[in-house]
Amino acid sequence: MTPYILYSDGKGNIFEDTTLYAVGRSGWEAMPIPEFEWIELPEGGSLYELPGRQGIGIDVHSGEMRLCEKGWAVAAFIPPAHTGLYLAAYETQPDAPTLPLFCYTATGWHNEKFYVPAVRIERDIRQEAGGYDQAKVEEGVNELLQAYPHNRLVKHLAENCALTYHCPAARNYFLGRWECPIPSSPACNANCIGCISFQPQEETITSTQDRLTFKPTAAEIVEYTVPHLETAPYPIVSFGQGCEGEPLLMWETIREAIIEIRKHTNKGSININTNGSMPDAVEKLMEAGLDSIRVSTNSARPDIYTKYYQPNNYAFEDIVESLKVVRKYNGWSSINYFVFPGVTDCIEEYEALRDLIKETGLNMIQWRNFNIDPDWYLGKMNISDQGENLGIIQMMALIHKQFPDLKFGYFNPPIERMKNFDVDFAH
Ligand code: SF4
């Protein structure tokens, strides 16, 4: 089974072209996708038309690769908990606009259904599209805004995150379940090319969220997180969200909050999503009671990391040190690994990742789809040919074989899963 290519008429209407089979892209290269790597587009996935781009496919008769002349290329945004294995394959016209900060996975049509090359990497259902009842979210928003009338963070999570950005984590907070976000930092010490909370004026794309504009107090953090830890199923409270800069820049406030939270409850876990830039601050937070860390990275190679993060006053070695510090305190350590087919699965990256896992004693890889325009990323990073590629699914299999205790997923695990990852946590 190979799906047919999709194209759009530029007005939001999408059609299949039955003269062409769909292919995928890895790095700069278009290639056929093995049959077993296609799955039906999961619920919550969406399709994008790509202006100024023509899809590449395989002619059903000649077997030759050629462009689809019928319209714009189409890509899929696959929902959380799934990792894309190939990018959408297309040719970009010189005046094509840069695409916004979403992931662009290959897609096709077969038997009246949309297909994507992807794998479900996470069984946790906390961000299933079908699990959000908007009326209940709004009910929760009204209730908690009344409960905390002077709390700027709850107001931010309500008005911006839940009701404007439709952030899954914020909506879960207002539904009284699972992982609750704690944005805390208006500033950052990195300058990521694809930053989702801040894009420089000169760039044509905009950030998907606006960065937090105030510094919350420890009291504001404690006020709404303690009741969440006390009452939510599988509760986690997480510093470091998409709507802020780098939380470690606020480590004193975070430490104060952790100490205060643990005076009131020992339930659930306290996590930080971070760029991992300040290992000394991480140590202070572990001493205070932090349970887990998730360090974001586009690569396990210092040069590829540095070109993307453009760090101020820290280096790749600092993020490695932060991961090691957490393990020293027997905390749970994950990397938020931005998967880019053709870069992530090249031999050099695979070897660097193995070294990183060995050196840090890493607990988990969260194989995340990289939300960025592929041409723009490769161009900005000046990445040409990365040499031989393993394929994302083969790379996952190789890493799993060498590190059988290393967990794969997409979300920060609750304390129950940190203790026993295979616990049957029926939400
Ligand atoms: S570390 Fe996060 S907030 Fe800072 S520049 Fe990168 S993506 Fe943006």
Side-chain angles (χ1 to χ4, degrees):
M1 175 286 279
T2 302
Y4 294 117
I5 199 171
L6 295 165
Y7 67 93
S8 101
D9 62 2
K11 300 189 196 92
N13 304 308
I14 290 175
F15 308 87
E16 79 275 14
D17 176 351
T18 57
T19 70
L20 282 170
Y21 290 127
V23 300
R25 170 181 168 176
S26 173
W28 289 106
E29 207 189 324
M31 57 183 61
I33 297 172
E35 201 169 313
F36 75 91
E37 292 187 318
W38 289 102
I39 62 169
E40 275 183 44
L41 177 66
E43 189 201 354
S46 41
L47 298 176
Y48 295 139
E49 57 182 18
L50 309 181
R53 295 156 173 88
Q54 283 179 285
I56 297 170
I58 292 175
D59 187 290
V60 296
H61 300 301
S62 70
E64 298 296 311
M65 234 182 240
R66 64 173 172 80
L67 291 181
C68 172
E69 308 285 353
K70 298 184 177 178
W72 294 139
V74 170
F77 178 83
I78 52 176
H82 301 82
T83 306
L85 306 173
Y86 298 83
L87 302 164
Y90 49 79
E91 193 167 283
T92 305
Q93 293 170 359
D95 58 350
T98 303
L99 299 170
L101 296 169
F102 298 116
C103 71
Y104 299 96
T105 300
T107 184
W109 176 257
H110 177 75
N111 263 357
E112 308 298 307
K113 293 187 182 127
F114 295 111
Y115 279 77
V116 288
V119 60
R120 183 163 186 135
I121 198 74
E122 170 68 74
R123 59 192 178 94
D124 185 324
I125 57 158
R126 80 181 66 166
Q127 295 193 10
E128 295 300 278
Y132 289 102
D133 177 336
Q134 189 58 19
K136 288 213 174 89
V137 170
E138 288 165 16
E139 215 179 281
V141 163
N142 295 334
E143 223 178 84
L144 292 164
L145 282 177
Q146 274 168 28
Y148 312 113
H150 308 296
N151 193 310
R152 294 172 299 168
L153 266 183
V154 175
K155 186 171 182 320
H156 167 76
L157 290 172
E159 294 171 1
N160 298 332
C161 308
L163 301 182
T164 307
Y165 310 142
H166 292 283
C167 166
R171 288 186 285 159
N172 280 336
Y173 166 58
F174 290 108
L175 291 167
R177 62 189 191 184
W178 312 328
E179 188 168 11
C180 161
I182 316 171
S184 60
S185 177
C188 190
N189 58 355
N191 308 285
C192 298
I193 292 170
C195 178
I196 56 175
S197 67
F198 176 78
Q199 281 294 323
Q201 285 282 339
E202 62 272 18
E203 290 301 343
T204 56
I205 58 165
T206 55
S207 57
T208 35
Q209 284 96 242
D210 295 330
R211 200 172 275 181
L212 197 68
T213 55
F214 62 91
K215 291 182 175 181
T217 62
E220 281 174 309
I221 292 169
V222 174
E223 185 182 34
Y224 76 99
T225 51
V226 167
H228 182 80
L229 287 167
E230 282 286 302
T231 58
Y234 301 96
I236 308 170
V237 293
S238 273
F239 295 95
Q241 300 297 323
C243 57
E244 65 172 303
E246 173 47 43
L248 289 175
L249 297 178
M250 290 284 289
W251 72 268
E252 289 100 337
T253 300
I254 294 177
R255 180 177 59 174
E256 193 188 332
I258 293 174
I259 292 168
E260 197 56 32
I261 288 170
R262 286 309 183 206
K263 281 186 194 153
H264 291 88
T265 178
N266 58 17
K267 286 190 177 168
S269 65
I270 304 175
N271 174 68
I272 190 167
N273 303 318
T274 169
N275 64 19
S277 52
M278 302 161 67
D280 297 346
V282 171
E283 179 127 26
K284 298 263 182 348
L285 298 182
M286 291 308 295
E287 286 164 354
L290 187 70
D291 297 295
S292 63
I293 193 170
R294 183 181 73 186
V295 172
S296 293
T297 185
N298 65 320
S299 176
R301 292 173 283 171
D303 59 330
I304 301 286
Y305 176 90
T306 307
K307 261 197 241 176
Y308 179 76
Y309 275 76
Q310 304 174 97
N312 302 339
N313 308 321
Y314 78 92
F316 181 79
E317 289 64 33
D318 293 307
I319 80 166
V320 175
E321 195 51 37
S322 290
L323 289 166
K324 289 161 82 172
V325 163
V326 170
R327 296 301 295 131
K328 190 172 81 180
Y329 285 80
N330 205 23
W332 181 275
S333 65
S334 300
I335 56 170
N336 189 25
Y337 197 41
F338 304 154
V339 173
F340 193 103
V343 176
T344 303
D345 58 324
C346 72
I347 301 292
E348 225 186 303
E349 178 70 23
Y350 161 64
E351 286 164 356
L353 181 62
R354 284 194 317 184
D355 296 345
L356 181 72
I357 296 165
K358 268 188 230 142
E359 186 182 351
T360 61
L362 193 67
N363 292 110
M364 182 180 193
I365 298 178
Q366 298 183 20
W367 300 84
R368 313 279 291 207
N369 300 307
F370 205 164
N371 287 339
I372 199 163
D373 176 328
D375 296 350
W376 189 62
Y377 176 68
L378 295 174
K380 286 252 179 188
M381 299 281 291
N382 197 15
I383 291 178
S384 54
D385 182 10
Q386 291 275 282
E388 189 202 341
N389 288 103
L390 297 163
I392 299 292
I393 211 99
Q394 286 77 3
M395 180 173 170
M396 288 175 173
L398 284 168
I399 293 285
H400 181 59
K401 192 154 171 255
Q402 283 160 67
F403 305 98
D405 298 332
L406 177 72
K407 307 305 178 191
F408 288 177
Y410 210 88
F411 304 125
N412 298 311
I415 204 90
E416 293 81 357
R417 287 192 79 195
M418 290 187 225
K419 290 179 181 153
N420 169 9
F421 200 75
D422 302 319
V423 69
D424 187 16
F425 67 112
H427 276 319

PDB file of all heavy atoms in Angstrom, residues 185 187-198 211 241-247 274-275 296 305 308-309 314 338, ligand 1:
ATOM      1  N   SER A 185       9.414  32.783  33.563  1.00  0.00           N
ATOM      2  CA  SER A 185      10.503  33.671  33.170  1.00  0.00           C
ATOM      3  C   SER A 185      10.224  34.507  31.926  1.00  0.00           C
ATOM      4  O   SER A 185      10.014  33.967  30.837  1.00  0.00           O
ATOM      5  CB  SER A 185      11.767  32.846  32.893  1.00  0.00           C
ATOM      6  OG  SER A 185      12.807  33.701  32.450  1.00  0.00           O
ATOM      7  N   ALA A 187      12.456  36.258  30.458  1.00  0.00           N
ATOM      8  CA  ALA A 187      13.728  36.422  29.726  1.00  0.00           C
ATOM      9  C   ALA A 187      14.353  35.072  29.387  1.00  0.00           C
ATOM     10  O   ALA A 187      13.975  34.051  29.958  1.00  0.00           O
ATOM     11  CB  ALA A 187      14.704  37.228  30.587  1.00  0.00           C
ATOM     12  N   CYS A 188      15.284  35.074  28.454  1.00  0.00           N
ATOM     13  CA  CYS A 188      15.987  33.837  28.114  1.00  0.00           C
ATOM     14  C   CYS A 188      17.462  34.111  27.862  1.00  0.00           C
ATOM     15  O   CYS A 188      17.835  35.228  27.498  1.00  0.00           O
ATOM     16  CB  CYS A 188      15.388  33.184  26.872  1.00  0.00           C
ATOM     17  SG  CYS A 188      16.071  31.531  26.634  1.00  0.00           S
ATOM     18  N   ASN A 189      18.277  33.104  28.078  1.00  0.00           N
ATOM     19  CA  ASN A 189      19.730  33.245  27.838  1.00  0.00           C
ATOM     20  C   ASN A 189      20.160  32.473  26.593  1.00  0.00           C
ATOM     21  O   ASN A 189      21.337  32.133  26.436  1.00  0.00           O
ATOM     22  CB  ASN A 189      20.512  32.750  29.062  1.00  0.00           C
ATOM     23  CG  ASN A 189      20.178  31.309  29.393  1.00  0.00           C
ATOM     24  OD1 ASN A 189      19.295  30.711  28.769  1.00  0.00           O
ATOM     25  ND2 ASN A 189      20.858  30.757  30.382  1.00  0.00           N
ATOM     26  N   ALA A 190      19.157  32.156  25.740  1.00  0.00           N
ATOM     27  CA  ALA A 190      19.463  31.551  24.445  1.00  0.00           C
ATOM     28  C   ALA A 190      18.718  32.345  23.374  1.00  0.00           C
ATOM     29  O   ALA A 190      17.862  33.175  23.690  1.00  0.00           O
ATOM     30  CB  ALA A 190      19.058  30.086  24.414  1.00  0.00           C
ATOM     31  N   ASN A 191      19.045  32.084  22.108  1.00  0.00           N
ATOM     32  CA  ASN A 191      18.407  32.795  20.981  1.00  0.00           C
ATOM     33  C   ASN A 191      18.075  31.797  19.888  1.00  0.00           C
ATOM     34  O   ASN A 191      18.569  31.896  18.764  1.00  0.00           O
ATOM     35  CB  ASN A 191      19.366  33.860  20.460  1.00  0.00           C
ATOM     36  CG  ASN A 191      19.855  34.755  21.580  1.00  0.00           C
ATOM     37  OD1 ASN A 191      19.121  35.619  22.055  1.00  0.00           O
ATOM     38  ND2 ASN A 191      21.092  34.506  22.060  1.00  0.00           N
ATOM     39  N   CYS A 192      17.223  30.820  20.259  1.00  0.00           N
ATOM     40  CA  CYS A 192      16.938  29.732  19.315  1.00  0.00           C
ATOM     41  C   CYS A 192      16.346  30.275  18.014  1.00  0.00           C
ATOM     42  O   CYS A 192      15.451  31.120  18.040  1.00  0.00           O
ATOM     43  CB  CYS A 192      15.969  28.744  19.934  1.00  0.00           C
ATOM     44  SG  CYS A 192      16.638  27.962  21.399  1.00  0.00           S
ATOM     45  N   ILE A 193      16.826  29.710  16.906  1.00  0.00           N
ATOM     46  CA  ILE A 193      16.334  30.128  15.586  1.00  0.00           C
ATOM     47  C   ILE A 193      14.808  29.984  15.538  1.00  0.00           C
ATOM     48  O   ILE A 193      14.103  30.867  15.077  1.00  0.00           O
ATOM     49  CB  ILE A 193      17.004  29.277  14.492  1.00  0.00           C
ATOM     50  CG1 ILE A 193      18.495  29.606  14.397  1.00  0.00           C
ATOM     51  CG2 ILE A 193      16.308  29.450  13.146  1.00  0.00           C
ATOM     52  CD1 ILE A 193      19.291  28.647  13.509  1.00  0.00           C
ATOM     53  N   GLY A 194      14.290  28.882  16.036  1.00  0.00           N
ATOM     54  CA  GLY A 194      12.847  28.619  15.966  1.00  0.00           C
ATOM     55  C   GLY A 194      12.146  28.844  17.285  1.00  0.00           C
ATOM     56  O   GLY A 194      11.233  28.084  17.632  1.00  0.00           O
ATOM     57  N   CYS A 195      12.553  29.895  18.032  1.00  0.00           N
ATOM     58  CA  CYS A 195      11.938  30.111  19.341  1.00  0.00           C
ATOM     59  C   CYS A 195      10.438  30.333  19.194  1.00  0.00           C
ATOM     60  O   CYS A 195      10.008  31.150  18.392  1.00  0.00           O
ATOM     61  CB  CYS A 195      12.563  31.308  20.057  1.00  0.00           C
ATOM     62  SG  CYS A 195      11.784  31.625  21.644  1.00  0.00           S
ATOM     63  N   ILE A 196       9.646  29.596  19.992  1.00  0.00           N
ATOM     64  CA  ILE A 196       8.191  29.702  19.846  1.00  0.00           C
ATOM     65  C   ILE A 196       7.603  30.821  20.698  1.00  0.00           C
ATOM     66  O   ILE A 196       6.417  31.120  20.603  1.00  0.00           O
ATOM     67  CB  ILE A 196       7.515  28.362  20.179  1.00  0.00           C
ATOM     68  CG1 ILE A 196       7.898  27.881  21.577  1.00  0.00           C
ATOM     69  CG2 ILE A 196       7.806  27.323  19.120  1.00  0.00           C
ATOM     70  CD1 ILE A 196       7.171  26.625  22.004  1.00  0.00           C
ATOM     71  N   SER A 197       8.433  31.479  21.522  1.00  0.00           N
ATOM     72  CA  SER A 197       7.881  32.570  22.341  1.00  0.00           C
ATOM     73  C   SER A 197       8.476  33.929  22.002  1.00  0.00           C
ATOM     74  O   SER A 197       8.045  34.943  22.546  1.00  0.00           O
ATOM     75  CB  SER A 197       8.108  32.280  23.829  1.00  0.00           C
ATOM     76  OG  SER A 197       9.493  32.322  24.127  1.00  0.00           O
ATOM     77  N   PHE A 198       9.489  33.940  21.126  1.00  0.00           N
ATOM     78  CA  PHE A 198      10.050  35.219  20.719  1.00  0.00           C
ATOM     79  C   PHE A 198      10.733  35.090  19.357  1.00  0.00           C
ATOM     80  O   PHE A 198      11.582  34.216  19.181  1.00  0.00           O
ATOM     81  CB  PHE A 198      11.080  35.726  21.735  1.00  0.00           C
ATOM     82  CG  PHE A 198      11.751  37.001  21.282  1.00  0.00           C
ATOM     83  CD1 PHE A 198      11.094  38.216  21.393  1.00  0.00           C
ATOM     84  CD2 PHE A 198      13.012  36.963  20.681  1.00  0.00           C
ATOM     85  CE1 PHE A 198      11.694  39.386  20.944  1.00  0.00           C
ATOM     86  CE2 PHE A 198      13.622  38.120  20.222  1.00  0.00           C
ATOM     87  CZ  PHE A 198      12.959  39.340  20.350  1.00  0.00           C
ATOM     88  N   ARG A 211       5.664  35.884  24.818  1.00  0.00           N
ATOM     89  CA  ARG A 211       6.414  35.549  26.031  1.00  0.00           C
ATOM     90  C   ARG A 211       5.801  36.252  27.245  1.00  0.00           C
ATOM     91  O   ARG A 211       5.324  37.386  27.160  1.00  0.00           O
ATOM     92  CB  ARG A 211       7.873  35.952  25.858  1.00  0.00           C
ATOM     93  CG  ARG A 211       8.798  35.250  26.813  1.00  0.00           C
ATOM     94  CD  ARG A 211      10.253  35.529  26.478  1.00  0.00           C
ATOM     95  NE  ARG A 211      10.785  34.633  25.463  1.00  0.00           N
ATOM     96  CZ  ARG A 211      12.054  34.702  25.029  1.00  0.00           C
ATOM     97  NH1 ARG A 211      12.852  35.640  25.493  1.00  0.00           N
ATOM     98  NH2 ARG A 211      12.502  33.860  24.112  1.00  0.00           N
ATOM     99  N   GLN A 241       7.618  26.588  30.195  1.00  0.00           N
ATOM    100  CA  GLN A 241       6.554  26.392  29.226  1.00  0.00           C
ATOM    101  C   GLN A 241       6.845  27.160  27.939  1.00  0.00           C
ATOM    102  O   GLN A 241       7.723  28.014  27.907  1.00  0.00           O
ATOM    103  CB  GLN A 241       5.220  26.848  29.830  1.00  0.00           C
ATOM    104  CG  GLN A 241       4.837  26.087  31.091  1.00  0.00           C
ATOM    105  CD  GLN A 241       4.610  24.597  30.834  1.00  0.00           C
ATOM    106  OE1 GLN A 241       4.087  24.204  29.791  1.00  0.00           O
ATOM    107  NE2 GLN A 241       5.037  23.753  31.786  1.00  0.00           N
ATOM    108  N   GLY A 242       6.053  26.882  26.921  1.00  0.00           N
ATOM    109  CA  GLY A 242       6.285  27.497  25.603  1.00  0.00           C
ATOM    110  C   GLY A 242       6.028  28.994  25.579  1.00  0.00           C
ATOM    111  O   GLY A 242       6.429  29.691  24.655  1.00  0.00           O
ATOM    112  N   CYS A 243       5.384  29.507  26.625  1.00  0.00           N
ATOM    113  CA  CYS A 243       5.004  30.922  26.637  1.00  0.00           C
ATOM    114  C   CYS A 243       5.956  31.738  27.519  1.00  0.00           C
ATOM    115  O   CYS A 243       5.561  32.751  28.102  1.00  0.00           O
ATOM    116  CB  CYS A 243       3.581  31.068  27.147  1.00  0.00           C
ATOM    117  SG  CYS A 243       3.354  30.345  28.783  1.00  0.00           S
ATOM    118  N   GLU A 244       7.187  31.257  27.675  1.00  0.00           N
ATOM    119  CA  GLU A 244       8.120  32.016  28.502  1.00  0.00           C
ATOM    120  C   GLU A 244       9.539  31.858  27.958  1.00  0.00           C
ATOM    121  O   GLU A 244       9.754  31.187  26.953  1.00  0.00           O
ATOM    122  CB  GLU A 244       8.064  31.516  29.956  1.00  0.00           C
ATOM    123  CG  GLU A 244       8.534  30.079  30.106  1.00  0.00           C
ATOM    124  CD  GLU A 244       8.653  29.670  31.561  1.00  0.00           C
ATOM    125  OE1 GLU A 244       9.389  30.332  32.306  1.00  0.00           O
ATOM    126  OE2 GLU A 244       7.996  28.680  31.927  1.00  0.00           O
ATOM    127  N   GLY A 245      10.488  32.491  28.662  1.00  0.00           N
ATOM    128  CA  GLY A 245      11.898  32.347  28.311  1.00  0.00           C
ATOM    129  C   GLY A 245      12.483  31.155  29.055  1.00  0.00           C
ATOM    130  O   GLY A 245      11.900  30.084  29.092  1.00  0.00           O
ATOM    131  N   GLU A 246      13.634  31.336  29.686  1.00  0.00           N
ATOM    132  CA  GLU A 246      14.306  30.238  30.370  1.00  0.00           C
ATOM    133  C   GLU A 246      14.032  30.265  31.869  1.00  0.00           C
ATOM    134  O   GLU A 246      14.473  31.215  32.567  1.00  0.00           O
ATOM    135  CB  GLU A 246      15.812  30.277  30.115  1.00  0.00           C
ATOM    136  CG  GLU A 246      16.610  29.298  30.903  1.00  0.00           C
ATOM    137  CD  GLU A 246      16.041  27.878  30.890  1.00  0.00           C
ATOM    138  OE1 GLU A 246      15.610  27.408  29.805  1.00  0.00           O
ATOM    139  OE2 GLU A 246      15.973  27.255  31.971  1.00  0.00           O
ATOM    140  N   PRO A 247      13.340  29.244  32.432  1.00  0.00           N
ATOM    141  CA  PRO A 247      12.993  29.262  33.873  1.00  0.00           C
ATOM    142  C   PRO A 247      14.186  29.309  34.821  1.00  0.00           C
ATOM    143  O   PRO A 247      14.083  29.899  35.907  1.00  0.00           O
ATOM    144  CB  PRO A 247      12.199  27.969  34.046  1.00  0.00           C
ATOM    145  CG  PRO A 247      12.529  27.121  32.882  1.00  0.00           C
ATOM    146  CD  PRO A 247      12.795  28.056  31.750  1.00  0.00           C
ATOM    147  N   THR A 274      13.566  22.896  30.549  1.00  0.00           N
ATOM    148  CA  THR A 274      14.582  23.938  30.550  1.00  0.00           C
ATOM    149  C   THR A 274      15.580  23.747  29.418  1.00  0.00           C
ATOM    150  O   THR A 274      15.660  22.670  28.839  1.00  0.00           O
ATOM    151  CB  THR A 274      15.352  23.901  31.886  1.00  0.00           C
ATOM    152  OG1 THR A 274      16.503  24.726  31.824  1.00  0.00           O
ATOM    153  CG2 THR A 274      15.809  22.488  32.219  1.00  0.00           C
ATOM    154  N   ASN A 275      16.374  24.795  29.153  1.00  0.00           N
ATOM    155  CA  ASN A 275      17.465  24.590  28.188  1.00  0.00           C
ATOM    156  C   ASN A 275      18.707  24.038  28.896  1.00  0.00           C
ATOM    157  O   ASN A 275      19.722  23.798  28.278  1.00  0.00           O
ATOM    158  CB  ASN A 275      17.776  25.867  27.412  1.00  0.00           C
ATOM    159  CG  ASN A 275      18.297  26.994  28.298  1.00  0.00           C
ATOM    160  OD1 ASN A 275      18.768  26.772  29.408  1.00  0.00           O
ATOM    161  ND2 ASN A 275      18.206  28.219  27.793  1.00  0.00           N
ATOM    162  N   SER A 296      15.731  20.580  26.680  1.00  0.00           N
ATOM    163  CA  SER A 296      15.437  20.625  25.239  1.00  0.00           C
ATOM    164  C   SER A 296      16.711  20.705  24.421  1.00  0.00           C
ATOM    165  O   SER A 296      17.642  21.404  24.804  1.00  0.00           O
ATOM    166  CB  SER A 296      14.577  21.857  24.924  1.00  0.00           C
ATOM    167  OG  SER A 296      13.321  21.708  25.521  1.00  0.00           O
ATOM    168  N   TYR A 305      24.087  22.001  18.072  1.00  0.00           N
ATOM    169  CA  TYR A 305      23.346  22.632  19.173  1.00  0.00           C
ATOM    170  C   TYR A 305      23.623  24.139  19.209  1.00  0.00           C
ATOM    171  O   TYR A 305      22.714  24.961  19.242  1.00  0.00           O
ATOM    172  CB  TYR A 305      23.746  22.009  20.518  1.00  0.00           C
ATOM    173  CG  TYR A 305      23.091  22.690  21.701  1.00  0.00           C
ATOM    174  CD1 TYR A 305      21.860  22.259  22.183  1.00  0.00           C
ATOM    175  CD2 TYR A 305      23.684  23.786  22.317  1.00  0.00           C
ATOM    176  CE1 TYR A 305      21.242  22.903  23.244  1.00  0.00           C
ATOM    177  CE2 TYR A 305      23.070  24.445  23.374  1.00  0.00           C
ATOM    178  CZ  TYR A 305      21.853  24.000  23.828  1.00  0.00           C
ATOM    179  OH  TYR A 305      21.228  24.659  24.869  1.00  0.00           O
ATOM    180  N   TYR A 308      22.092  26.404  16.622  1.00  0.00           N
ATOM    181  CA  TYR A 308      20.637  26.607  16.748  1.00  0.00           C
ATOM    182  C   TYR A 308      20.281  27.448  17.976  1.00  0.00           C
ATOM    183  O   TYR A 308      19.541  28.415  17.886  1.00  0.00           O
ATOM    184  CB  TYR A 308      19.908  25.257  16.825  1.00  0.00           C
ATOM    185  CG  TYR A 308      18.410  25.422  16.968  1.00  0.00           C
ATOM    186  CD1 TYR A 308      17.629  25.786  15.886  1.00  0.00           C
ATOM    187  CD2 TYR A 308      17.784  25.248  18.200  1.00  0.00           C
ATOM    188  CE1 TYR A 308      16.262  25.981  16.012  1.00  0.00           C
ATOM    189  CE2 TYR A 308      16.415  25.426  18.345  1.00  0.00           C
ATOM    190  CZ  TYR A 308      15.666  25.803  17.250  1.00  0.00           C
ATOM    191  OH  TYR A 308      14.312  26.001  17.392  1.00  0.00           O
ATOM    192  N   TYR A 309      20.876  27.100  19.125  1.00  0.00           N
ATOM    193  CA  TYR A 309      20.501  27.783  20.377  1.00  0.00           C
ATOM    194  C   TYR A 309      21.163  29.147  20.519  1.00  0.00           C
ATOM    195  O   TYR A 309      20.668  30.014  21.221  1.00  0.00           O
ATOM    196  CB  TYR A 309      20.828  26.901  21.589  1.00  0.00           C
ATOM    197  CG  TYR A 309      19.744  25.910  21.905  1.00  0.00           C
ATOM    198  CD1 TYR A 309      19.584  24.767  21.140  1.00  0.00           C
ATOM    199  CD2 TYR A 309      18.856  26.137  22.941  1.00  0.00           C
ATOM    200  CE1 TYR A 309      18.555  23.876  21.393  1.00  0.00           C
ATOM    201  CE2 TYR A 309      17.820  25.257  23.208  1.00  0.00           C
ATOM    202  CZ  TYR A 309      17.672  24.132  22.416  1.00  0.00           C
ATOM    203  OH  TYR A 309      16.636  23.266  22.667  1.00  0.00           O
ATOM    204  N   TYR A 314      26.610  30.476  28.067  1.00  0.00           N
ATOM    205  CA  TYR A 314      26.691  29.065  28.477  1.00  0.00           C
ATOM    206  C   TYR A 314      27.043  28.243  27.254  1.00  0.00           C
ATOM    207  O   TYR A 314      27.040  28.764  26.127  1.00  0.00           O
ATOM    208  CB  TYR A 314      25.388  28.587  29.132  1.00  0.00           C
ATOM    209  CG  TYR A 314      24.254  28.258  28.194  1.00  0.00           C
ATOM    210  CD1 TYR A 314      24.089  26.952  27.728  1.00  0.00           C
ATOM    211  CD2 TYR A 314      23.346  29.225  27.767  1.00  0.00           C
ATOM    212  CE1 TYR A 314      23.065  26.621  26.866  1.00  0.00           C
ATOM    213  CE2 TYR A 314      22.315  28.912  26.910  1.00  0.00           C
ATOM    214  CZ  TYR A 314      22.172  27.597  26.453  1.00  0.00           C
ATOM    215  OH  TYR A 314      21.148  27.290  25.588  1.00  0.00           O
ATOM    216  N   PHE A 338      14.364  17.297  19.569  1.00  0.00           N
ATOM    217  CA  PHE A 338      13.660  17.764  18.371  1.00  0.00           C
ATOM    218  C   PHE A 338      14.068  16.888  17.194  1.00  0.00           C
ATOM    219  O   PHE A 338      15.205  16.964  16.724  1.00  0.00           O
ATOM    220  CB  PHE A 338      14.005  19.219  18.075  1.00  0.00           C
ATOM    221  CG  PHE A 338      13.740  20.172  19.209  1.00  0.00           C
ATOM    222  CD1 PHE A 338      14.464  21.347  19.310  1.00  0.00           C
ATOM    223  CD2 PHE A 338      12.770  19.910  20.163  1.00  0.00           C
ATOM    224  CE1 PHE A 338      14.237  22.240  20.354  1.00  0.00           C
ATOM    225  CE2 PHE A 338      12.525  20.796  21.203  1.00  0.00           C
ATOM    226  CZ  PHE A 338      13.268  21.958  21.290  1.00  0.00           C
TER     227      PHE A 338
HETATM  228  S1  SF4 B   1      15.504  28.264  25.135  1.00  0.00           S
HETATM  229 FE1  SF4 B   1      13.271  28.370  24.806  1.00  0.00          FE
HETATM  230  S2  SF4 B   1      12.646  30.450  25.285  1.00  0.00           S
HETATM  231 FE2  SF4 B   1      14.891  30.422  25.040  1.00  0.00          FE
HETATM  232  S3  SF4 B   1      15.241  31.030  22.923  1.00  0.00           S
HETATM  233 FE3  SF4 B   1      15.185  28.798  23.005  1.00  0.00          FE
HETATM  234  S4  SF4 B   1      13.040  28.221  22.581  1.00  0.00           S
HETATM  235 FE4  SF4 B   1      13.093  30.399  23.102  1.00  0.00          FE
END
